[in-house]
Amino acid sequence: MFRSASRLKVLAAVPLLLLATACDRVVFDPAGDVARQQRDIIYISTGLMLLIIVPVMVLIVVFAWRYRRGKGGTYDPNFDHSTALELVIWSVPLLIIIVLGALTWSSTHLLDPFRPLNQVATDQEAKAQVEAPLRVQVVSMDWKWLFIYPEQGIATVNELVLPVGRQVRFDITSTNMMNTFYAPTMAGMIYAMPGMQSTLHAVLDRPVESQGYSGNYSGHGFSHMRFKLRGVDDAQFGQWVAAARGSGKALDLATYMELVKPSERVPVMHFAAVGPDLFRRILERCVEPGKPCMSEIMAHDRQAGGGHPHEMRPGAGMPQGRDSAPLHGDKPEGAIFKSPEERGSGPNVTKPANPSRAPGVTRPGDQKNRDMSAVMPMAHPSAQPAANA
């Protein structure tokens, strides 16, 4: 008896242990106003849902006990409606849905990542509104993160250091695959896409040492695509910038071409200098020498089309160099751009062995184009030809 009770206690503790080991409370330990509001939305939404779940679970036990066989309850075979019961069943969920909808609508606008912060929750955030936002350019790579500080003229890999109490504007893009920039202690999850720029405004209100992640599966090295996130005071941030400038390594084109190659478990790297135009060229996908940027291609299109938007001919002003080799080597040419001789045939190509004898070949005047035997209705077996009569 005692042994059975001990086993039951152990089994009851297993779910709690699994819950404690599996949960990372970083989402519920915010270090900024954006992350704090997102945490509060989770709490409010969970509480509203529990208003339905908890009473239902309790009533299941109460009804099962009260109306068990032979114990209490009144059998009424003619019961079919209760206004009070219907009112409770429909009104309470409807009110909860209305509250959740209003919460979702308001938070969607207030927490728009493109919107600068305008809510003052702490003294640090009030200070953040006075100072100009710190600009950080984020580039998602395979499988690492590049952070460019254009105002400080430095860059880092897999380390993001921010001053506490200063609003930060992140400009986010990707080199190759779609990813998500996710710093849960600071803000939410924002997509990083090639050829496109996302924006995020956030602020840290206390010193913190945490991690950021990629929340979108992007291949073999996705599991280790993480970066260090540190929130420091202004003095420490200045010291860190000075240390990065003293590293002596510059992020020039040759270094970037090596950095952009797929790699895993990349250690933290600092660059003392970075080209002021590097992020724009990454965004417009023209880092390679001789390859035109998207803005240049559009400008050529406008010039070739006469300048009027309705007269633009896409691709007419394509400058030289657009077919230059990409960063990861030669890109295979699609079959749609090849001639029939270059494409050849394979098991997935249903090309007839002798096109000249193929039924229905599309040659003008060929009688086989009129061959409809495959779709003509067949005669009924009972309808015999007159000759056989």
Side-chain angles (χ1 to χ4, degrees):
M1 182 72 180
F2 178 76
R3 183 176 299 175
S4 300
S6 300
R7 290 179 178 177
L8 290 175
K9 291 180 180 179
V10 172
L11 292 175
V14 168
L16 297 177
L17 292 175
L18 292 176
L19 185 64
T21 56
C23 289
D24 189 353
R25 290 188 55 84
V26 66
V27 177
F28 301 101
D29 186 25
D33 180 59
V34 175
R36 187 181 303 106
Q37 292 186 63
Q38 292 175 340
R39 180 205 60 185
D40 294 343
I41 291 173
I42 296 175
Y43 283 154
I44 295 172
S45 302
T46 304
L48 289 173
M49 290 184 287
L50 288 177
L51 290 178
I52 292 292
I53 296 174
V54 172
V56 169
M57 300 302 293
V58 172
L59 289 175
I60 288 175
V61 178
V62 171
F63 287 169
W65 175 260
R66 180 174 179 180
Y67 299 104
R68 66 191 186 277
R69 184 176 181 181
K71 299 291 183 180
T74 301
Y75 177 64
D76 185 2
N78 298 319
F79 175 82
D80 62 355
H81 179 73
S82 172
T83 302
L85 186 60
E86 292 285 344
L87 186 63
V88 173
I89 291 175
W90 291 103
S91 62
V92 175
L94 181 60
L95 290 174
I96 292 178
I97 292 174
I98 292 174
V99 174
L100 284 174
L103 178 66
T104 302
W105 183 88
S106 61
S107 60
T108 300
H109 291 275
L110 291 176
L111 298 179
D112 182 0
F114 286 82
R115 178 179 181 178
L117 302 179
N118 59 358
Q119 180 175 348
V120 179
T122 64
D123 294 337
Q124 295 286 354
E125 290 160 10
K127 174 186 174 184
Q129 292 187 3
V130 176
E131 294 181 317
L134 172 68
R135 290 185 59 210
V136 178
Q137 297 165 340
V138 183
V139 181
S140 167
M141 295 181 168
D142 297 334
W143 290 274
K144 49 197 169 286
W145 293 95
L146 171 65
F147 301 101
I148 302 174
Y149 295 74
E151 299 170 0
Q152 288 72 27
I154 62 173
T156 64
V157 173
N158 287 343
E159 184 181 41
L160 177 61
V161 179
L162 302 173
V164 172
R166 183 176 178 183
Q167 184 179 169
V168 184
R169 169 179 168 156
F170 296 95
D171 295 327
I172 307 168
T173 190
S174 177
T175 58
N176 185 29
M177 299 185 66
M178 186 171 73
N179 257 299
T180 51
F181 174 71
Y182 185 32
T185 57
M186 179 180 60
M189 188 181 299
I190 307 298
Y191 279 105
M193 294 169 283
M196 300 181 67
Q197 177 179 312
S198 299
T199 302
L200 170 67
H201 291 83
V203 61
L204 294 174
D205 59 7
R206 62 178 176 86
V208 64
E209 289 193 8
S210 181
Q211 276 192 334
Y213 311 85
S214 168
N216 193 82
Y217 180 73
S218 58
H220 186 268
F222 158 77
S223 301
H224 306 288
M225 192 174 173
R226 304 188 176 191
F227 60 89
K228 295 181 180 179
L229 172 62
R230 295 173 50 204
V232 298
D233 57 30
D234 292 339
Q236 291 177 323
F237 180 74
Q239 295 172 3
W240 176 81
V241 171
R245 288 173 177 169
S247 62
K249 184 186 297 184
L251 185 59
D252 52 17
L253 180 59
T255 305
Y256 177 81
M257 297 292 279
E258 289 296 322
L259 182 65
V260 78
K261 295 179 180 179
S263 55
E264 302 178 38
R265 300 176 184 268
V266 178
V268 173
M269 303 170 63
H270 294 164
F271 297 97
V274 58
D277 204 32
L278 179 61
F279 181 79
R280 184 191 65 84
R281 299 186 69 87
I282 296 173
L283 174 63
E284 298 195 22
R285 305 180 67 78
C286 57
V287 180
E288 303 93 320
K291 187 172 184 179
C293 299
M294 292 188 294
S295 59
E296 297 173 353
I297 295 174
M298 290 187 289
H300 278 77
D301 284 341
R302 285 193 295 268
Q303 293 175 3
H308 195 279
H310 298 290
E311 298 178 359
M312 262 181 50
R313 292 179 289 123
M318 188 72 72
Q320 298 294 327
R322 190 58 183 167
D323 294 329
S324 61
L327 294 176
H328 303 311
D330 294 334
K331 182 178 181 180
E333 187 179 14
I336 192 173
F337 301 106
K338 296 181 180 179
S339 64
E341 292 76 14
E342 293 175 328
R343 287 197 300 264
S345 62
N348 62 327
V349 179
T350 58
K351 183 174 65 174
N354 190 347
S356 62
R357 297 182 180 179
V361 65
T362 57
R363 290 185 298 178
D366 197 315
Q367 292 298 321
K368 291 183 179 181
N369 291 334
R370 299 178 177 273
D371 186 1
M372 301 293 291
S373 59
V375 295
M376 291 178 64
M378 298 180 62
H380 196 273
S382 61
Q384 298 296 330
N388 294 338

